[in-house]
Amino acid sequence: MNLKEKIIKERIPAHVAIIMDGNGRWARKRGFARTLGHEKGVDAVRETVEAAVELGIGYLTLYAFSTENWNRPKYEIDALMRLLVRSVNKERKTFMDNNIRLMAIGDLRNLPPKSYTELMKAIDDTAVNTGMRLVLALSYSSRWEIVEAARILAGNISKGTLKPEEITQEMFSNLLTTASIPDPELLIRTSGEYRVSNFLLWQIAYCELYFTPTLWPDFSKEEFYRALIDYQSRERRFGMTSEQIRKPKNR
Ligand code: FPP
């Protein structure tokens, strides 16, 4: 039985999020510039998106650029932004052919104008698609969006349109950039780092975490299948006992 056949179709996570890490190390190990690692990383993105569509995953969120990544050398930031625009434009037909809807989360106003415009164009063009949502986290950080949400709530309180005791978890969730997106059920991080690095902190409250030593450019469909098989072997209890999960009527 190959790996893909081991995946239980009825238990595919609705939303998988990925921290694509290790592009720089992949390149350095081979004596190349870090930016070549990012270019190879795009091939891994393509493989992963293809696998996700084949498996019927509803949402795939990729951490493509964090708020902290703005501190990288300018040439690397420029190369990443160019790569983003090039990839989004190049894959436009793939998105349409596969019914993929592109979305983006993050402080997008910080993107260079050309990147922003091209990204918005691809988002608009694919808005008619009803299949998998491919969510790019760009200039994204979880603490940023949490503070933004807190500011909006505080503003409403000071205007007198909201009372502190009226704030609910749902209200808070609806103010995050992921308002229309279900919480991820599986978070994958590559490159052997065991961190969540300011990514979807609120949204991963009950998410299963999967870490692999594979560097992102080497991430393959097989590796993705392995993560899903591992996820499906886990018991998700959401704070309840095993017995409650197995006999839902007796909860
Ligand atoms: C982390 O590796 C990777 C990034 C900061 C960028 C990820 C971007 C891509 C894969 C390409 C563009 C994406 C799309 C969606 C078209 P790193 O540079 O932190 O690696 P290191 O930890 O080894 O230095």
Side-chain angles (χ1 to χ4, degrees):
M1 204 199 248
N2 67 27
L3 278 177
K4 193 177 179 186
E5 286 165 7
K6 288 189 183 159
I7 299 171
I8 307 160
K9 292 194 182 56
E10 296 71 36
R11 289 184 53 205
I12 299 277
H15 182 179
V16 177
I18 307 185
I19 302 178
M20 311 179 287
D21 197 12
N23 293 350
R25 274 164 285 163
W26 184 95
R28 283 286 176 233
K29 258 175 52 181
R30 289 162 178 78
F32 301 140
R34 294 175 51 82
T35 48
L36 192 86
H38 298 315
E39 299 213 11
K40 290 302 268 182
V42 175
D43 295 339
V45 168
R46 196 173 304 116
E47 276 242 341
T48 308
V49 169
E50 211 176 283
V53 169
E54 282 167 17
L55 292 166
I57 287 169
Y59 293 80
L60 178 69
T61 300
L62 302 176
Y63 206 2
F65 197 88
S66 70
T67 309
E68 291 75 21
N69 286 153
W70 291 115
N71 298 320
R72 291 196 174 194
K74 188 175 177 313
Y75 78 89
E76 188 174 338
I77 295 175
D78 291 347
L80 268 168
M81 290 298 150
R82 272 198 306 273
L83 194 58
L84 177 77
V85 171
R86 209 191 318 142
S87 309
V88 161
N89 283 335
K90 206 169 135 206
E91 301 303 334
R92 192 84 58 103
K93 188 169 172 338
T94 319
F95 295 154
M96 298 314 290
D97 290 349
N98 292 282
N99 199 19
I100 297 172
R101 180 171 178 181
L102 187 69
M103 297 171 75
I105 54 169
D107 196 358
L108 305 176
R109 292 161 305 178
N110 278 341
L111 297 178
K114 186 171 159 51
S115 310
Y116 179 83
T117 313
E118 294 291 328
L119 179 71
M120 286 304 147
K121 214 168 348 135
I123 289 175
D124 284 348
D125 289 353
T126 61
V128 290
N129 293 342
T130 53
M132 189 181 80
R133 267 62 168 165
L134 174 60
V135 186
L136 300 184
L138 286 164
S139 189
Y140 174 85
S141 98
S142 209
R143 287 182 175 181
W144 161 77
E145 69 168 348
I146 288 172
V147 168
E148 287 295 302
R151 281 197 183 126
I152 293 171
L153 293 174
N156 290 343
I157 289 170
S158 71
K159 277 188 279 176
T161 56
L162 179 72
K163 294 196 185 85
E165 59 275 20
E166 287 169 352
I167 297 174
T168 60
Q169 292 190 16
E170 198 194 354
M171 190 185 288
F172 203 89
S173 289
N174 285 335
L175 290 171
L176 299 176
T177 57
T178 48
S180 63
I181 301 173
D183 286 346
E185 293 176 295
L186 171 64
L187 171 67
I188 300 171
R189 181 172 190 148
T190 58
S191 93
E193 309 285 356
Y194 297 88
R195 289 189 288 274
V196 288
S197 299
N198 215 350
F199 188 45
L200 302 174
L201 300 180
W202 170 277
Q203 298 86 340
I204 60 170
Y206 287 102
C207 186
E208 297 295 327
L209 310 180
Y210 180 86
F211 298 97
T212 166
T214 302
L215 301 176
W216 178 251
D218 290 328
F219 194 79
S220 59
K221 284 188 179 181
E222 304 301 304
E223 190 84 43
F224 196 22
Y225 298 156
R226 258 192 288 277
L228 291 167
I229 293 164
D230 188 273
Y231 163 85
Q232 293 187 335
S233 73
R234 302 184 195 183
E235 182 183 68
R236 305 189 70 206
R237 291 202 295 274
F238 304 97
M240 289 180 276
T241 67
S242 279
E243 291 69 26
Q244 286 175 302
I245 297 294
R246 288 183 196 146
K247 291 190 195 135
K249 280 187 204 133
N250 298 341
R251 253 177 225 170

